[in-house]
Amino acid sequence: MLRNIAVRRALLLGVMLQLFQQFSGINTVIYYSATILVMSGASSNKAIWLSAAVCTANVVFTFIGIVSVERLGRKILLMGSMIVMMIGLTLLGISFIVIDRSSQGMLTKGVGECIAASDSCYSCIGSDMCGVCSNLVGELMCVSNNATELVKSTCEGGIVADGCKTEYSRLAVVGLVVYIMGFAPGMGPLPWTINSEIFPNWSRDTAMSITTTTNWVCNSIISQTFLQLTNAATTSGAFFIYCGITLIGMIYFFICLPETRGVSLEHTEELFSSSLTFIGLKTGLKRKEIVDNEVD
């Protein structure tokens, strides 16, 4: 299969579609949406309902992709999808920077091992071992989740490991929704759609197995590394990294992804048989020729 240059190019494109779909951070949003909202300042109960709203947006905007895929074409829809995703990821990154800065000064002090995490309310709840305590005189303190019973008894409502209330929490919700609005109609379904179209019949089963495996391996990597990434690069840094990966993917697809709309499965192999390097940029005439021949 790999000896055929057209199949080899198509397979690389199919693998990249699945890789960038996952490394754009989608399953951090799906799996950790409630956690992200808690980090942004929402209460635990509120975060659960808001994450349900995010998932609902995913379903609704998927139907836009169903309607648009034949009207706009695969490539235009994918490019537009990734642009909106980058806007959403940028909003998420900015929201956590603003939330962190706005929560500075909210805490009166830190206690024991949580002194280092008491610069802001956000940094306190972002620590695995600390939480926020509102004492009997209304002071907010950063204390250990394993604090003594004496310390816990002075905290009204106990030691809270969820949201620091801030007026900028809504910005994170908007970022999540915008991201999903971009992903659902394009980068969500299109890797599967395009992969089903670019391989000739004799190689489709093996090629689809390889691209599907890529998707699930990348899914596992991205979902297992999100929390470690937020600790290493901060939450805002993690979303900016996903935004950068999405930008790289968009540039790659702009160069290397040919439009397959209107091309039959029997003739898609011809799109990848060209000796031209930048097949996505330079196969427009080739595609038109193929479509015209099919019509004739």
Side-chain angles (χ1 to χ4, degrees):
M1 184 180 76
L2 295 179
R3 293 178 181 177
N4 185 300
I5 187 171
V7 174
R8 193 162 65 240
R9 287 172 174 169
L11 181 61
L12 176 62
L13 175 63
V15 166
M16 289 297 108
L17 281 164
Q18 300 288 18
L19 184 147
F20 281 111
Q21 183 201 61
Q22 293 300 319
F23 281 1
S24 65
I26 179 58
N27 280 313
T28 64
V29 171
I30 298 299
Y31 298 157
Y32 294 103
S33 57
T35 302
I36 292 168
L37 291 166
V38 165
M39 289 177 178
S40 73
S43 65
S44 297
N45 290 336
K46 193 173 184 179
I48 292 173
W49 287 105
L50 287 173
S51 64
V54 171
C55 293
T56 301
N58 190 19
V59 174
V60 172
F61 282 93
T62 297
F63 286 100
I64 295 178
I66 295 173
V67 173
S68 304
V69 67
E70 288 299 331
R71 294 181 180 179
L72 298 178
R74 282 71 164 146
K75 189 166 186 173
I76 292 177
L77 187 58
L78 188 70
M79 295 295 102
S81 169
M82 298 181 85
I83 289 171
V84 177
M85 287 167 63
M86 287 190 291
I87 293 173
L89 289 168
T90 302
L91 285 174
L92 280 166
I94 292 173
S95 70
F96 281 99
I97 292 175
V98 174
I99 289 167
D100 185 30
R101 291 179 179 175
S102 66
S103 69
Q104 292 176 0
M106 291 176 66
L107 301 179
T108 305
K109 62 180 179 179
V111 178
E113 60 189 351
C114 294
I115 292 176
S118 62
D119 292 339
S120 69
C121 184
Y122 174 70
S123 62
C124 179
I125 66 169
S127 171
D128 293 334
M129 59 184 180
C130 302
V132 176
C133 165
S134 177
N135 64 20
L136 300 178
V137 294
E139 295 177 325
L140 291 178
M141 302 183 297
C142 187
V143 301
S144 171
N145 293 322
N146 298 318
T148 63
E149 291 300 322
L150 178 62
V151 172
K152 291 181 179 179
S153 66
T154 65
C155 299
E156 293 186 312
I159 299 173
V160 181
D162 58 10
C164 296
K165 292 178 175 59
T166 169
E167 59 185 353
Y168 298 105
S169 299
R170 294 185 183 90
L171 186 58
V173 178
V174 171
L176 281 174
V177 173
V178 170
Y179 175 79
I180 289 296
M181 285 171 58
F183 179 86
M187 199 57 181
L190 282 179
W192 303 101
T193 302
I194 296 170
N195 270 302
S196 69
E197 295 175 337
I198 60 178
F199 302 113
N201 290 328
W202 60 270
S203 65
R204 182 169 294 119
D205 52 352
T206 303
M208 288 292 291
S209 297
I210 293 171
T211 57
T212 301
T213 300
T214 301
N215 183 284
W216 285 105
V217 169
C218 293
N219 182 335
S220 177
I221 292 171
I222 206 73
S223 60
Q224 292 184 40
T225 58
F226 173 64
L227 295 180
Q228 291 88 336
L229 185 60
T230 58
N231 290 332
T234 72
T235 306
S236 59
F239 289 117
F240 286 135
I241 288 171
Y242 295 144
C243 185
I245 292 172
T246 304
L247 176 61
I248 294 170
M250 189 179 73
I251 294 171
Y252 173 80
F253 297 133
F254 179 75
I255 294 173
C256 297
L257 175 64
E259 178 57 65
T260 57
R261 181 183 59 166
V263 180
S264 68
L265 295 177
E266 292 76 15
H267 293 91
T268 50
E269 186 176 358
E270 296 178 36
L271 291 176
F272 295 91
S273 299
S274 171
S275 60
L276 296 173
T277 303
F278 298 138
I279 52 177
L281 288 174
K282 298 182 179 180
T283 51
L285 293 176
K286 182 70 174 177
R287 175 185 169 275
K288 185 177 185 300
E289 178 186 333
I290 293 171
V291 173
D292 288 345
N293 289 339
E294 289 181 357
V295 172
D296 294 340

